[in-house]
């Protein structure tokens, strides 16, 4: 089964909002509200920022939000800050056999 | 604070076995699920396998025949073995804690690069 599809890169200026899409199929993203997002600064441990499509772990800024429509999940970052510049990965449950799929990652550049 | 640290050889020869250990601190390895995930250079993340402290496991169908995951509750660590490695197994390998019900990876290690070379 193919990985989830994310744009390779997105960019935005400080204070702006950006959205990163994560497109799967009716067998994964479209069937389950079990999409999570991770922020990954290279060389560091990835950090969970969204789980179960819309939920934020304790301590994660409310500038991060998640949503889903059909087979596509989205991560929105509002009020962009320089520290948001990072790689972002989505993840979705894909049924009991495959179990989980990840996206290819999106590099966010804050201009 | 929960911390995970991967350890193991950074270089493995083709056809041999890759062996990694993840040491968990700040929490007991009991009562949680633990997992291995990898990222080949320039590519996305790939789930490898997970294990419960009781020994129950699940692995990626594409790797299942080559993967062994185990847990050592006495030393609070878990391990990965991947046999018959090839160049395509070159990747940064991460260990993480997973909530298998929500499919959420809430704590990760920093990752360790394993290069497979002839």
């Amino acid at each position: 089964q193919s990985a989830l599809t994310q744009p390779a890169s997105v960019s935005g200026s400080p204070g702006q909002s950006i959205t990163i899409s994560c497109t799967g199929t009716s067998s994964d993203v479209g069937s389950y509200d079990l999409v999570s997002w991770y922020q990954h600064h290279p060389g560091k441990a990835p950090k969970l920022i969204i789980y179960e499509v819309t939920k934020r772990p304790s301590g994660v800024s409310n500038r991060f939000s998640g949503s889903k429509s059909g087979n596509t999940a989205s991560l929105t970052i509002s009020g962009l800050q320089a520290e948001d510049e990072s790689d972002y990965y989505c993840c979705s449950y894909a049924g009991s056999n495959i179990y989980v799929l990840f996206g290819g990652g999106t590099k966010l550049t804050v201009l | 604070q929960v911390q995970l640290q991967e350890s193991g050889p950074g270089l493995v020869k083709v056809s041999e076995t890759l062996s990694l250990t993840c040491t968990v601190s700040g929490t007991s390895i009991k009562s949680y699920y633990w997992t291995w995930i990898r990222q080949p250079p320039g590519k996305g993340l790939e789930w490898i396998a997970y294990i419960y402290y009781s020994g129950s496991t699940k692995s990626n169908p594409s790797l299942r025949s080559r993967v062994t995951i185990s847990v050592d509750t006495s030393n609070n660590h878990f391990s990965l073995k991947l046999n018959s490695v090839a160049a395509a197994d070159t990747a940064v390998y991460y260990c993480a804690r997973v909530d298998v019900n929500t499919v959420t990876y809430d704590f990760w290690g920093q990752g360790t690069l394993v290069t497979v070379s002839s």
Side-chain angles (χ1 to χ4, degrees):
Chain A
Q1 190 149 351
S2 301
L4 307 176
T5 300
Q6 297 181 233
S9 62
V10 298
S11 62
S13 299
Q16 289 185 331
S17 294
I18 63 93
T19 296
I20 299 172
S21 61
C22 170
T23 302
T25 69
S26 58
S27 297
D28 37 71
V29 174
S31 287
Y32 309 99
D33 287 337
L34 294 175
V35 175
S36 52
W37 289 89
Y38 302 86
Q39 179 188 60
H40 184 208
H41 290 105
K44 295 192 173 183
K47 176 185 177 183
L48 173 69
I49 54 174
I50 295 288
Y51 66 103
E52 292 185 70
V53 180
T54 62
K55 298 178 180 178
R56 269 190 317 274
S58 174
V60 173
S61 170
N62 59 9
R63 297 186 298 105
F64 294 90
S65 62
S67 63
K68 191 183 86 166
S69 178
N71 297 337
T72 298
S74 298
L75 171 71
T76 297
I77 308 174
S78 59
L80 269 180
Q81 299 179 1
E83 67 204 47
D84 299 330
E85 187 162 290
S86 187
D87 296 325
Y88 292 85
Y89 293 89
C90 64
C91 172
S92 174
Y93 180 65
S96 60
N97 186 37
I98 300 295
Y99 181 60
V100 69
L101 292 172
F102 285 94
T106 298
K107 181 176 181 58
L108 168 62
T109 300
V110 180
L111 301 171
Chain B
Q1 179 178 345
V2 178
Q3 293 186 313
L4 294 87
Q5 180 65 59
E6 305 89 351
S7 60
L11 185 63
V12 181
K13 292 186 176 180
V14 170
S15 79
E16 296 190 344
T17 297
L18 177 160
S19 296
L20 295 173
T21 295
C22 181
T23 301
V24 179
S25 59
T27 187
S28 171
I29 206 165
K30 295 182 179 179
S31 301
Y32 293 102
Y33 285 81
W34 305 91
T35 193
W36 289 96
I37 292 163
R38 70 181 183 178
Q39 183 174 28
K43 296 187 177 181
L45 297 165
E46 179 183 35
W47 169 67
I48 300 172
Y50 70 64
I51 188 166
Y52 192 45
Y53 79 98
S54 64
S56 171
T57 66
K58 186 176 181 69
S59 55
N60 187 320
S62 69
L63 298 170
R64 188 166 294 153
S65 63
R66 299 194 291 128
V67 167
T68 301
I69 186 170
S70 59
V71 64
D72 181 345
T73 55
S74 298
N75 291 300
N76 226 44
H77 70 228
F78 62 106
S79 300
L80 172 72
K81 291 188 186 297
L82 181 66
N83 60 36
S84 304
V85 297
D89 295 309
T90 293
V92 176
Y93 286 76
Y94 297 94
C95 59
R97 192 175 79 173
V98 58
D99 180 331
V100 296
N101 293 316
T102 63
V103 193
T104 298
Y105 303 89
D106 56 356
F107 292 100
W108 297 63
Q110 290 189 324
T112 186
L113 173 63
V114 179
T115 301
V116 178
S117 173
S118 55

